[in-house]
Amino acid sequence: MFDWDDLRLFLTVARMKRMAPAARALGMDATTISRRLSRLAQTLDAELFEQAGPDRVLTHRGIALFRHAESIEGAALAAVAEVKGERQSLNGHVRISVAEGFGTWILAPGLPSFHAQHPGIHLDVVTASGFLNPSKREADMAVMLARPQRGNLSVQRLADYRLHLYASPEYLGRKGALADRRDLQDHVLVGYVPEFIFAPELDYLDEVQAGAEAILRSSSIGIQRRLVLDGAGIGVLPDFMAANHPGLVRLLGDDVEITRSFWLVSHRDMTKLARIQAVSGLIHKQAATVLAVS
């Protein structure tokens, strides 16, 4: 007999690629999951995974099953939403995964009024290192720095933003101004910890000056901004969190300018839910408002 619930286990393992995290996500014993996946493979007379080191990688037939299983999952979620009246409901839980800078300087200012307007929508704003993936249903929505290339996703380009070199007047008074990029070798640079850069779009020091390395480093853009503001050194900061601050001075503005993009990503099955549309509207509004004046 074919057990529909085995598809749920199959999807989780396929998305996470490893048994241990899949077992934690499902709240099940890894041995039980392995046994049920074996039963599913036997029922379908198909090898679904192959071992590649510690990872379980989908075979050709596994990929085919994955596409159908996602469609079944989406139909099931849509059916539950329709029967429970959730499609038009402005109630429920929405988890958003965002970068720290976007969450703090763009999204957070709009949350009080949004909550007053939609008190039934409960929001989780997650800024942990690394984006949660809507394709794996780790989050309902994500604001990412690159367009995802795969997954059953709805992807919208939110906006471009720019970054420049910044320093405090106090630092420049002690160390002197920059004439050009080459002068950076005589200054203290503030930046990310290379091992903890969770998106390649954040690895931009080489774009400023080849071989440039930060001396004061943090995985938090908020801490980097604080260091620059307090006169510790020169840092690359997004204009939306630095341009309008009286304690920060833009450096080499005509020569050093970096452009990045924000992308709003959600699972395609979720896009018609009223609460997702409401949060999407909030994100679009905040991005347009904040980035327009930075």
Side-chain angles (χ1 to χ4, degrees):
M1 289 290 293
F2 182 83
D3 187 337
W4 292 99
D5 194 52
D6 288 348
L7 286 179
R8 180 173 65 92
L9 277 60
F10 166 77
L11 278 173
T12 303
V13 174
R15 286 165 174 160
M16 295 191 167
K17 293 185 172 60
R18 297 190 181 189
M19 191 64 71
R24 287 193 296 270
L26 291 165
M28 298 177 64
D29 180 79
T31 302
T32 302
I33 297 173
S34 182
R35 175 174 52 79
R36 289 179 59 176
L37 289 179
S38 295
R39 180 179 68 183
L40 178 62
Q42 185 176 2
T43 301
L44 298 175
D45 190 24
E47 291 295 327
L48 302 176
F49 294 97
E50 58 185 19
Q51 202 76 29
D55 293 341
R56 293 192 175 221
V57 180
L58 289 172
T59 63
H60 180 72
R61 298 179 74 179
I63 292 172
L65 178 62
F66 184 83
R67 290 197 297 266
H68 291 294
E70 278 210 313
S71 297
I72 293 168
E73 178 188 49
L77 290 172
V80 170
E82 185 171 339
V83 171
K84 292 176 68 176
E86 290 182 349
R87 188 176 292 273
Q88 303 302 323
S89 174
L90 288 169
N91 295 284
H93 184 210
V94 178
R95 175 168 291 176
I96 315 166
S97 174
V98 297
E100 178 194 0
F102 186 96
T104 303
W105 277 271
I106 297 178
L107 181 58
L111 293 182
S113 60
F114 179 83
H115 175 66
Q117 185 178 1
H118 303 296
I121 298 178
H122 299 177
L123 287 176
D124 288 347
V125 180
V126 181
T127 60
S129 293
F131 295 108
L132 301 181
N133 192 338
S135 181
K136 298 180 180 180
R137 301 195 186 274
E138 297 170 339
D140 299 306
M141 313 176 77
V143 176
M144 309 181 99
L145 299 176
R147 182 187 182 99
Q149 298 302 310
R150 62 183 65 183
N152 186 25
L153 298 170
S154 169
V155 181
Q156 303 171 56
R157 190 189 193 106
L158 269 179
D160 292 339
Y161 69 98
R162 289 171 177 78
L163 306 96
H164 288 89
L165 289 168
Y166 285 91
S168 72
E170 185 272 333
Y171 175 85
L172 295 174
R174 285 188 290 112
K175 296 289 189 176
L178 300 180
D180 56 42
R181 299 174 189 233
R182 290 171 296 181
D183 289 344
L184 286 169
Q185 64 186 355
D186 300 321
H187 288 266
V188 176
L189 293 184
V190 176
Y192 283 100
V193 183
E195 300 93 314
F196 294 96
I197 294 178
F198 61 84
E201 292 76 21
L202 298 177
D203 190 10
Y204 36 59
L205 270 185
D206 249 358
E207 294 180 41
V208 176
Q209 178 71 5
E213 293 184 3
I215 296 174
L216 295 175
R217 309 187 301 190
S218 174
S219 60
S220 164
I221 189 64
I223 291 177
Q224 292 178 44
R225 179 181 182 271
R226 184 77 254 177
L227 289 168
V228 175
L229 190 59
D230 287 347
I234 296 172
V236 179
L237 299 174
D239 289 349
F240 63 79
M241 56 189 284
N244 297 316
H245 196 291
L248 292 170
V249 179
R250 183 184 294 179
L251 307 175
L252 304 182
D254 295 333
D255 184 34
V256 178
E257 181 175 89
I258 298 169
T259 301
R260 294 291 187 264
S261 301
F262 287 124
W263 299 83
L264 179 59
V265 180
S266 58
H267 201 283
R268 199 176 298 279
D269 299 331
M270 306 287 288
T271 55
K272 294 183 179 179
L273 296 180
R275 65 178 183 271
I276 298 297
Q277 292 176 352
V279 176
S280 176
L282 164 70
I283 293 172
H284 277 278
K285 176 185 175 183
Q286 289 303 118
T289 301
V290 175
L291 296 178
V293 297
S294 63

